[in-house]
Amino acid sequence: MKDCLKTRICTFWVTSPGNPRYHAIRGVVGSIARVSALFAATVAAVRSLPARLRSPRRSAESATTDPGAARAAPRAARPGARRPERRPHDESDDTAEFGGRRPGGACAAEGLVAAGLGAGALAVVVLALWTVSPHPDDGPGNATTLAVDLWLLAHGAGLVRADTLGGTPAPVTLTPLLLALVPGWLLRRAVRVALPADSGPGRALTTALWITGGYLAAAAAGVLYTLDGPIRVDPLSAAVAVPLFALVVTVTAGWSHTGPPLLPGRAQWLQETDAPRAAAAGLAAMCGAGTVLAAIALVGHAGAAQSLFGQLAGDWSGRISLLLLACALVPNAAVWAAAYGLGVGFTVGGGVWLAPLATGGDDPRLPPFPLLAALPGEGGAPLTLALAALVPLTAISVTAFFLGRAAVPVRADRTTATSAADTACAALLAAALLGLGTGVLALLAGGALGTGGLAEFGPAPWLTAAAAFGWVAVLGTPAALLARAWRDGPRGTGP
């Protein structure tokens, strides 16, 4: 009853004309409504634009064809073989598909919509927290600037905080990986909407470039918008990180829909093996094991984390903000824990390195944050070492399982099985791809939170990539051969 009464009083105070922030809140709500209506109209216009650019013959065929059946037709036509044979795609088909014109403007508009939706979603959350905060800044301008800063930070761009106690600008380059899922999903959705169902790899690449162009136009406007704020985006880092992020996501999404371009000659073996899929599964399993390890560490230090949580945020709006920030950094904690399990560990500022077998060093002076309370001690207890060893073992087991299943698609059927040498080569290729992916995640999960002792946080990308490659290459290759031999044996109850 008491909490309900407080909630009603707070709601009445927020919506009361006597509140000094009443007119600002009303303006923010009106702005959000207008922007939402604008985005809805833009999305509707973009959805209808590609249909107008198509030729009359193509439009008539699309009207009488079930889109779901068109997308499912290539899958249904696949033979029972392990890999279907694709004929080289004729780029003239892509040109004729739209009556000789490529709808570049429609694809660029999809990129603009994806950028606007990503920045708008963060703006809604930040403005809502600013509205209910008991100690707001001067106005909603700083809140919207912070939302754009967070949106660009999600792409890997660095921030610069000018208002510091020492007067020296402090960089912020640690990317919350959970925020990166929002622009990544929106870009992938834009590619799937703009790309026709029967397109080839060339058409997918062109569509990805147009979407990236529209996306970068919105990103450039966002960089200019934040230059006068208390926290601004570093233009040089944004010029490198945002285009690279958008290109990788859009090209990957396009080629996952149409298939990658055929490689010439003997290089086609790289597309016939399941090494990329095995590497992706092993990387996901390794990150999952890292998440479990980080969760166990956080549960073990729950008291210290709860104490820090209460010290940093006194009011409920601050606690919501802190909780959202901690949730956004959970994937970073998973990558840090995975690096710890691989044996290389990570740094926590001030040159202090935490690893399972590390000894010596000074005690780190960490900023008070709930997730940092779960950091392991120096060296690690036997139970910690045993749990950390599950990270590489999980990656090795999952990678070997996928490679063994790809080597012998039909159990005990040697006519469709690949040789042991091909399986070993596929295991080495999967180890290299897994190491590359691990290094990229380590690069994104770490960064700076300031200067001095806060200038370096997270695992070293090159060491983490080398450790992941070494574990899977040394132990994953014989494990893949064992999985192949098990499936190549007499038929049993296995899959």
Side-chain angles (χ1 to χ4, degrees):
M1 178 64 71
K2 185 177 180 180
D3 294 337
C4 182
L5 182 60
K6 287 183 177 180
T7 303
R8 292 184 178 181
I9 293 176
C10 182
T11 304
F12 175 77
W13 178 81
V14 168
T15 57
S16 173
N19 179 12
R21 286 181 293 169
Y22 171 76
H23 298 286
I25 295 172
R26 187 175 180 180
V28 168
V29 174
S31 300
I32 293 176
R34 287 190 293 270
V35 170
S36 301
L38 178 62
F39 277 132
T42 305
V43 171
V46 170
R47 295 296 179 271
S48 61
L49 186 58
R52 298 174 185 173
L53 293 177
R54 297 179 182 178
S55 61
R57 177 180 60 84
R58 186 68 180 175
S59 300
E61 293 177 358
S62 300
T64 58
T65 303
D66 185 11
R71 291 180 179 270
R75 300 180 182 177
R78 291 182 179 177
R82 189 163 52 91
R83 278 289 185 269
E85 295 183 359
R86 295 198 319 270
R87 62 175 180 85
H89 185 76
D90 189 2
E91 293 298 328
S92 62
D93 296 341
D94 292 336
T95 305
E97 181 180 352
F98 290 93
R101 294 178 296 174
R102 294 180 183 271
C107 297
E110 287 287 351
L112 285 172
V113 170
L117 291 177
L122 289 176
V124 170
V125 176
V126 174
L127 287 173
L129 294 175
W130 172 84
T131 301
V132 299
S133 175
H135 306 289
D137 292 332
D138 296 336
N142 289 339
T144 55
T145 302
L146 178 60
V148 178
D149 287 331
L150 292 176
W151 178 69
L152 292 171
L153 181 64
H155 299 79
L159 304 181
V160 178
R161 184 165 53 91
D163 297 336
T164 59
L165 296 178
T168 303
V172 179
T173 59
L174 195 151
T175 301
L177 293 183
L178 191 62
L179 290 183
L181 295 180
V182 177
W185 179 80
L186 289 172
L187 281 171
R188 183 180 181 275
R189 175 183 172 275
V191 172
R192 299 301 293 265
V193 169
L195 191 63
D198 55 350
S199 300
R203 176 62 187 162
L205 179 60
T206 305
T207 302
L209 292 177
W210 276 108
I211 291 176
T212 301
Y215 197 84
L216 294 182
V223 171
L224 295 177
Y225 180 76
T226 63
L227 290 180
D228 295 334
I231 301 178
R232 60 180 178 85
V233 178
D234 184 10
L236 182 60
S237 66
V240 175
V242 180
L244 185 60
F245 180 93
L247 276 176
V248 170
V249 173
T250 53
V251 173
T252 303
W255 284 351
S256 66
H257 180 65
T258 63
L262 292 176
L263 297 177
R266 298 177 61 88
Q268 292 186 9
W269 173 84
L270 296 176
Q271 294 178 328
E272 296 176 357
T273 179
D274 264 358
R277 182 181 301 177
L283 181 61
M286 185 180 63
C287 293
T291 304
V292 174
L293 182 61
I296 293 175
L298 187 60
V299 170
H301 300 79
Q306 185 177 2
S307 177
L308 290 174
F309 194 88
Q311 293 176 7
L312 291 176
D315 55 277
W316 63 275
S317 61
R319 293 180 179 179
I320 293 177
S321 303
L322 185 59
L323 180 61
L324 292 177
L325 178 59
C327 292
L329 292 173
V330 166
N332 298 64
V335 176
W336 290 24
Y340 186 86
L342 291 174
V344 296
F346 52 88
T347 183
V348 289
V352 178
W353 196 269
L354 295 180
L357 302 179
T359 58
D362 300 330
D363 293 333
R365 296 181 179 180
L366 302 176
F369 193 72
L371 289 181
L372 295 179
L375 291 178
E378 186 179 316
L383 180 59
T384 304
L385 297 178
L387 292 175
L390 295 178
V391 173
L393 292 179
T394 303
I396 292 169
S397 302
V398 173
T399 305
F401 172 79
F402 274 83
L403 290 174
R405 190 167 186 174
V408 186
V410 181
R411 185 172 174 82
D413 185 5
R414 298 186 178 182
T415 59
T416 59
T418 59
S419 63
D422 290 342
T423 302
C425 292
L428 293 177
L429 178 60
L433 294 176
L434 191 146
L436 178 62
T438 306
V440 171
L441 287 179
L443 178 64
L444 295 176
L449 293 177
T451 58
L454 302 178
E456 187 177 1
F457 277 85
W462 299 110
L463 289 177
T464 309
F469 170 77
W471 278 104
V472 179
V474 174
L475 298 181
T477 302
L481 293 175
L482 287 176
R484 177 191 177 279
W486 175 72
R487 290 185 59 84
D488 198 20
R491 180 179 295 274
T493 58

